Amino acid sequence: MDIDGHFHASASSCLNKLGLNLATITIQPSFAIAAVHVRQLALIVPTYLNPWLLTAKIGKNRNRQNVFSKKQFFNMSNTSNFREAIREAKSHALVGPNVIANALPYVGGGLVLTALGTYGGLGVIRTNPGIFFPTFIGAVILELILFFVAQNVAQKGNKGLALPLLATYSLLSGYTLSGLIFVALRSQGVGIQGVGLAALGCGVTFIFARQIGSNLSEQDGMALTKTINLGVIALVVVCLAQFGFAMFGFYTPNWLEIAISGLGVFLFVGVSVVDFYILPRTYSDDQYLPAALSMYLTYINLFVFILRLLIAINGRD
């Protein structure tokens, strides 16, 4: 029995039941590649900007923490209560010890809305592929604007306005992600099982990143944050160059696409670890919406790079 063929047949049957029969749809390869690169840049640029802002805030917090530590250990020498003083100093370093727990429901809600947006985008590709690329470009522009507006509103604590903005951002993110999902579903050896594998990879990363990032020391955490930030800068430059070459008809060789996608996966696994270190030291417990936006970007980027890696591994030049 051909198990692989049976699995692909089952996956195709599942897509058909969802009204997403994509097998007969034709989109120009240049449009599909451009959509993938534009989608990547629309995600990675906000992610690149966000960590640097967070690192700057961490620096200010550390200055305050140093003043506290000096006072704490001066008092410690008088009281001889070393263990209690050290425990209080460590807890003081966390601005919002529960901010990630508070943010997780909103991260999950954003991912569900992203899935709905992707389903809608695949529906547009199925019913009227000719209008997808123009609407895709418009959605990317609106998405970038919404990111900066929503981030600013969320950081000011206006939750009533921030929530609908972030919900709209998640839906648009899903719509623009549908181009990559379309390529994955049409790629031999990837398909719907590849999409599921990428999602599973994000879940596994979350579990391990939480354990590692929450237990990083101050010195190790800041060193990792700065290293990952430098790596993301390099990745932004590479993705910009890749997009520029694609616009002139020069497409990335398969071996280089594998290398770039692998680097992206590696870096965003690192970003997921950094999130658990840096977010509780940057946002207070009631600032869960900007923290949720940061984590959302981390896992969407990780998902995209895992999917790109699977497509590249199973593809040909």
Side-chain angles (χ1 to χ4, degrees):
M1 180 179 177
D2 185 356
I3 296 176
D4 188 57
H6 178 71
F7 186 85
H8 282 288
S10 299
S12 298
S13 176
C14 179
L15 290 173
N16 291 339
K17 288 178 181 178
L18 292 173
L20 296 175
N21 182 10
L22 307 176
T24 59
I25 299 171
T26 301
I27 290 182
Q28 292 185 20
S30 58
F31 281 3
I33 293 172
V36 170
H37 292 320
V38 171
R39 165 69 283 183
Q40 190 72 75
L41 287 171
L43 281 171
I44 200 172
V45 170
T47 307
Y48 153 68
L49 293 173
N50 210 25
W52 280 113
L53 295 174
L54 293 179
T55 306
K57 290 183 180 179
I58 284 287
K60 294 178 182 177
N61 290 340
R62 289 187 72 188
N63 290 335
R64 290 197 291 269
Q65 291 161 18
N66 288 336
V67 172
F68 174 83
S69 297
K70 289 176 183 177
K71 292 179 179 178
Q72 186 69 38
F73 284 99
F74 176 77
N75 293 334
M76 182 180 69
S77 64
N78 294 330
T79 62
S80 300
N81 194 349
F82 292 95
R83 190 170 298 176
E84 182 181 351
I86 291 172
R87 184 167 55 250
E88 288 182 12
K90 286 183 176 179
S91 64
H92 186 78
L94 300 180
V95 178
N98 300 312
V99 67
I100 289 180
N102 295 340
L104 286 180
Y106 298 93
V107 177
L111 294 175
V112 170
L113 290 173
T114 300
L116 291 175
T118 301
Y119 181 81
L122 291 174
V124 172
I125 294 174
R126 179 180 63 84
T127 57
N128 200 342
I131 69 167
F132 173 73
F133 197 69
T135 57
F136 168 86
I137 295 298
V140 166
I141 294 171
L142 184 57
E143 181 186 347
L144 284 170
I145 295 171
L146 264 178
F147 167 78
F148 292 106
V149 174
Q151 184 187 53
N152 185 52
V153 171
Q155 286 180 344
K156 289 180 178 179
N158 190 345
K159 297 180 178 65
L161 180 58
L163 275 174
L165 289 174
L166 291 172
T168 305
Y169 176 81
S170 298
L171 285 168
L172 286 172
S173 182
Y175 183 82
T176 54
L177 192 61
S178 58
L180 176 63
I181 300 297
F182 170 79
V183 174
L185 293 174
R186 291 289 301 272
S187 298
Q188 186 175 2
V190 184
I192 194 170
Q193 70 271 24
V195 176
L197 183 61
L200 178 63
C202 292
V204 172
T205 299
F206 173 84
I207 293 171
F208 285 99
R210 186 172 194 169
Q211 181 64 29
I212 297 170
S214 300
N215 293 295
L216 285 174
S217 67
E218 291 291 320
Q219 184 177 1
D220 291 342
M222 288 305 298
L224 179 62
T225 300
K226 292 176 181 178
T227 302
I228 292 297
N229 281 343
L230 290 174
V232 172
I233 292 173
L235 191 60
V236 169
V237 173
V238 170
C239 288
L240 282 170
Q242 195 178 26
F243 174 69
F245 282 122
M247 287 295 95
F248 290 98
F250 299 99
Y251 301 121
T252 309
N254 203 53
W255 62 268
L256 186 56
E257 176 65 21
I258 292 173
I260 294 171
S261 301
L263 175 63
V265 171
F266 176 77
L267 284 174
F268 278 99
V269 167
V271 172
S272 67
V273 173
V274 166
D275 276 347
F276 284 99
Y277 165 79
I278 205 169
L279 293 180
R281 289 166 171 79
T282 305
Y283 295 120
S284 61
D285 287 345
D286 63 345
Q287 291 179 303
Y288 47 82
L289 288 182
L293 178 58
S294 179
M295 293 184 72
Y296 171 86
L297 284 170
T298 296
Y299 290 100
I300 287 292
N301 269 294
L302 179 60
F303 173 82
V304 167
F305 274 111
I306 292 175
L307 206 52
R308 282 183 58 174
L309 182 61
L310 292 174
I311 293 169
I313 290 173
N314 290 279
R316 289 170 174 79
D317 290 333

